[in-house]
Amino acid sequence: MTIKPLRKAVFPVAGLGTRFLPATKAMPKEMLTVVDKPLIQYAVEEALEAGIEQIIFVTGRGKSALEDHFDISYELEATMKARGKSLSLIENIRQKPGSPVYVRQQEPLGLGHAVWCAREIVGDEPFAVLLPDELMVGGFMKQMVEAYNKVGGNLIGALEVPAEETDKYGIITPGKIDGRLTEVLEVIEKPKQGTAKSNLMTPGRYILQPEVMKILDNPVKGAGGEIQLTDAMAQLIGKQPFHGFTFDGQRYDCGDKAGFIQANLALALARDDIGSVVRAFAKELLA
Ligand code: G1P
């Protein structure tokens, strides 16, 4: 088996963000900040650290702040330069010419449909998918790429969640376990309470083979009446290697208000500049 190197990553960012209204009425949810960095930047940095070369955003109406965020801001740069301020925080998010690539998902038909909208850009190559509302600290994609370079095929994140949360996620039916790798026998999107075969969920990090796009050419509606990525990739099980990968690091579900606040608190406490002030305040507040 030849393992094609991973060069491209798809970021589905067309979602409406209704869970965060009113914050997301006129602002993309991916621009919500954890301390001082938007969620999307954490995800893009995670991909770049993993050696990804081509960033592909699947975007939609009302999301132009995302495009501007990864572009040059002449006004800001000129003003900061004139004031003698360092440009490092805005220069390092510039992408090489031609990246990111933006494609549109015109209608919110589901994650599978969003990923399929990038098919022409992905072409006949393996690709990663990163869901930016899942914030990972510790280099999840980098660890996945290292594992992928050994086993190839399809590799999806696999993390344990409490049993009462399994109906919120894609759930893996595990086979043989080998260190951080778990053979995937089945993956089921949002199984009903009490029917999950495990509590191993897939947290929005995927390395997939291009054949999944062919499956999505003939989409089927799944959980929630949406075209699910989970259902399409499940069809590759048994035909191509398919593993879950358990990450050594911290996950914050920033698609959820409590998870988002937890991420802000944890990352603020870990910061050299504000950590001690925040810690003192948190102690006082809880006392
Ligand atoms: C999506 C995926 C699901 C995955 C989850 C991770 O669900 O469909 O398989 O477990 O992301 O956050 P969503 O959060 O879009 O409902």
Side-chain angles (χ1 to χ4, degrees), residues 19 111 131 134 168-170 189-190 202-204 206 228 230:
R19 270 185 266 179
L111 180 59
L131 307 188
E134 294 272 0
K168 282 170 60 182
Y169 301 110
E189 183 67 16
K190 302 192 175 73
T202 182
Y206 312 83
Q228 297 291 355
T230 299

Side-chain angles (χ1 to χ4, degrees), residues 19 29 110-112 131 133-134 136 157 166-171 187-190 200-206 223 226-231 233 251 253-255:
R19 270 185 266 179
K29 65 169 174 172
L111 180 59
L131 307 188
D133 54 11
E134 294 272 0
M136 306 295 180
T166 49
D167 61 344
K168 282 170 60 182
Y169 301 110
I171 301 293
V187 53
I188 296 168
E189 183 67 16
K190 302 192 175 73
L200 207 53
M201 62 81 90
T202 182
R205 295 294 182 277
Y206 312 83
E226 294 188 355
I227 300 165
Q228 297 291 355
L229 179 63
T230 299
D231 297 341
M233 66 190 189
R251 159 189 181 243
D253 183 357
C254 292

Side-chain angles (χ1 to χ4, degrees), residues 172-176 182-187 234 237-238 242:
I172 294 169
T173 305
K176 267 184 252 132
T182 301
E183 186 192 359
V184 175
L185 300 180
E186 251 180 343
V187 53
I237 299 169
F242 209 119

Side-chain angles (χ1 to χ4, degrees), residues 124-172:
D124 192 26
E125 286 191 36
F127 63 101
V129 178
L130 294 94
L131 307 188
D133 54 11
E134 294 272 0
L135 195 164
M136 306 295 180
V137 177
F140 201 154
M141 192 44 73
K142 186 163 193 268
Q143 293 179 24
M144 277 181 74
V145 169
E146 282 161 12
Y148 167 76
N149 288 336
K150 292 183 193 129
V151 293
N154 302 279
L155 195 62
I156 64 177
L159 297 178
E160 287 193 357
V161 286
E164 60 275 13
E165 288 181 24
T166 49
D167 61 344
K168 282 170 60 182
Y169 301 110
I171 301 293
I172 294 169

Side-chain angles (χ1 to χ4, degrees), residues 9-10 33 39 48 60 62 70 88 120 123 131 135-136 144 175 195 209 226 239 244 247 261 268 283:
V10 176
T33 53
L39 283 172
L48 296 175
F70 291 95
S88 63
E120 300 289 348
L131 307 188
L135 195 164
M136 306 295 180
M144 277 181 74
T195 67
Q209 296 302 314
E226 294 188 355
K239 296 183 187 135
F247 159 62
I261 300 298
K283 273 191 186 154

